[in-house]
Amino acid sequence: MAKILVLAGDGIGPEVMGETVKILQFVNGQEKLGLEFENALVGGCSYDAHGKPLTDETLRLAKAADAVMLGAVGGPKWEELDYSVRPERALLALRSELELFANLRPAKVYPALVDASSLKREIIEGIDIMVLRELTGDIYFGKPKGVEKLPDGQERGFNTMVYTTHEIERIAKLAFEIARGRQKKVTSIDKANVLETTELWRKVVTQLGKKYPDVELKHMYVDNCAMQLVRYPKQFDVIVTGNLFGDILSDEAAMLTGSIGMLPSASLAASKKGMYEPIHGSAPDIAGKGVANPIATILSAAMMLDLTFGKKAPAQKIEAAVEKVLGAGLRTADIAKPGEAKVSTQQAGEAILSELKKVY
Ligand code: NAD
């Protein structure tokens, strides 16, 4: 028996999550996965009900679950709240309390949506990249940090870039393991020509790489990687990097594919427990209209089956169903071209479910 905590959240969260849970429940029944679903409030809706974006009880449920499926949090209604009780605080608390040290974002281009990208068809056709970003270390957490007054009246701001051997090994190991299930290529990104922290990064990744002789390891400087992602992205399979470089590169890689409504993500702990969520927010401008694209959340659920539960086959079936439905021309508003017919969130979810039913 495995437990999934469903935190639909605010805005379009409940709409896209509704379609996702239907698909998960169907696969659960067919594959006899023994998944149990629990629901709780998170974000603005939790603040409205309990005065906190994340209650102790929801955190307890998240810790007890094997995986968390999250919709989105936030919206204009809660923007004036004190920072400490803003909906987004719930996400930060969940990430740190669950010790989610690795963030994974796939950037895959679906043949039917090649023209939705801002890059030329021949550059992005066929790309399938997994960006693995370390999430709990680096310059965001390193000490000392602060802003101090200097005797001459100026101010001086400083942060510290820090990584330990253990932190680097942990994320690199995951990168090699994930690459084994893909094209067996890892590109590790650093700035080892200038930064000592990333010189250590390169040394540790290289040493660990010897344990994975079947995986090809390359190193690349971050500035070159930023350029290569738009010049020739097909060269990449798994990209692994630290928190700061990953913050920027994962957004860049994700945007190769076009629409924000299509992009899933996973954040993993060492135990393979994970939190799975679309990268988009609560989209207040379209919330409640039933027009949001549920695919990012549905693909996040597929990542969960693969990465936390080790069920690659059903995950691939969900991905294939999404591809089929897109191939047949089905489009929610965000991915429809002017003049093209648009379907609702529910119609998109139902079409994916019925494709899935054909292969079971
Ligand atoms: P957003 O991602 O919510 O929306 C940006 C644009 O993309 C909007 O026009 C929206 O309609 C569109 N969009 C997003 N998801 C879509 C989908 N599935 N289908 C179709 N269109 C989609 O970003 P924002 O407007 O900057 O933020 C809105 C709120 O969400 C804010 O309160 C913000 O703090 C919060 N937010 C939450 C998360 C999260 O929960 N992980 C992430 C980002 C932003």
Side-chain angles (χ1 to χ4, degrees):
M1 198 64 76
K3 274 199 182 144
I4 298 173
L5 179 65
V6 178
L7 301 173
D10 308 317
I12 60 169
E15 298 168 47
V16 293
M17 192 59 79
E19 298 311 311
T20 304
V21 170
K22 281 187 219 163
I23 286 169
L24 273 174
Q25 276 170 337
F26 171 74
V27 172
N28 186 29
Q30 294 296 313
E31 300 267 352
K32 303 199 172 28
L33 300 176
L35 303 177
E36 264 188 13
F37 299 85
E38 273 175 313
N39 292 280
L41 298 177
V42 75
C45 58
S46 170
Y47 176 81
D48 288 347
H50 306 292
K52 285 177 173 184
L54 180 71
T55 61
D56 294 346
E57 175 58 8
T58 302
L59 182 59
R60 190 190 65 75
L61 290 172
K63 284 184 173 170
D66 297 280
V68 177
M69 279 294 312
L70 189 118
V73 299
K77 186 177 174 193
W78 303 283
E79 262 162 26
E80 302 303 318
L81 290 177
D82 184 73
Y83 187 65
S84 63
V85 287
R86 287 265 187 91
E88 294 77 7
R89 295 293 297 174
L91 299 186
L92 300 178
L94 279 167
R95 284 178 192 142
S96 75
E97 289 285 334
L98 301 178
E99 294 176 50
L100 305 173
F101 73 92
N103 183 246
L104 287 88
R105 279 202 201 172
K108 186 172 170 166
V109 170
Y110 289 88
L113 295 181
V114 173
D115 296 322
S117 171
S118 53
L119 296 185
K120 286 186 200 132
R121 168 181 276 269
E122 59 269 28
I123 291 184
I124 58 143
E125 215 161 28
I127 68 162
D128 184 359
I129 306 172
M130 180 68 82
V131 181
L132 196 49
R133 164 189 172 193
E134 203 286 333
L135 210 54
T136 53
D138 208 345
I139 197 161
Y140 297 145
F141 296 93
K143 288 189 180 131
K145 62 176 177 177
V147 179
E148 65 184 13
K149 277 250 186 278
L150 296 178
D152 66 359
Q154 288 193 68
E155 285 184 292
R156 178 176 169 268
F158 52 98
N159 292 86
T160 308
M161 182 177 254
V162 193
Y163 267 119
T164 63
T165 311
H166 164 71
E167 288 171 321
I168 303 166
E169 272 175 359
R170 191 169 62 164
I171 189 90
K173 183 166 175 274
L174 193 58
F176 287 117
E177 283 169 5
I178 287 171
R180 274 189 169 159
R182 297 172 46 99
Q183 302 301 310
K184 300 190 171 58
K185 286 200 295 191
V186 169
T187 309
S188 171
I189 309 301
D190 60 42
K191 188 77 182 167
N193 49 343
V194 187
L195 299 168
E196 282 79 357
T197 312
T198 72
E199 203 181 310
L200 176 69
W201 177 284
R202 186 176 285 218
K203 187 176 98 182
V204 173
V205 174
T206 305
Q207 271 165 1
L208 189 73
K210 292 181 186 144
K211 290 192 186 159
Y212 298 85
D214 53 322
V215 179
E216 181 195 334
L217 170 65
K218 278 193 182 155
H219 301 276
M220 193 178 275
Y221 295 139
V222 61
D223 42 344
N224 187 23
C225 180
M227 195 173 69
Q228 295 298 332
L229 273 172
V230 288
R231 194 189 73 89
Y232 181 42
K234 271 176 255 189
Q235 68 187 288
F236 297 109
D237 176 23
V238 175
I239 290 177
V240 62
T241 189
N243 206 347
L244 174 64
F245 300 157
D247 193 354
I248 300 158
L249 294 176
S250 62
D251 268 10
E252 187 189 356
M255 278 304 118
L256 297 174
T257 66
S259 168
I260 191 161
M262 299 282 302
L263 298 164
S265 81
S267 300
L268 288 183
S271 61
K272 295 277 163 79
K273 179 185 186 126
M275 185 157 91
Y276 297 85
E277 55 184 312
I279 74 159
H280 62 70
S282 58
D285 53 335
I286 56 166
K289 297 185 179 161
V291 298
N293 189 343
I295 292 179
T297 313
I298 291 170
L299 292 175
S300 302
M303 289 183 84
M304 175 181 75
L305 294 178
D306 179 10
L307 297 169
T308 290
F309 299 112
K311 303 286 179 192
K312 212 173 184 68
Q316 284 172 337
K317 283 182 181 164
I318 294 175
E319 285 164 11
V322 167
E323 197 162 335
K324 271 260 168 68
V325 160
L326 292 171
L330 187 122
R331 303 278 184 272
T332 42
D334 57 313
I335 51 174
K337 285 191 208 143
E340 249 178 0
K342 299 168 192 131
V343 299
S344 67
T345 309
Q346 199 180 345
Q347 285 168 323
E350 275 163 12
I352 294 165
L353 185 57
S354 75
E355 272 310 323
L356 210 47
K357 284 182 178 165
K358 291 183 194 161
V359 295
Y360 277 102

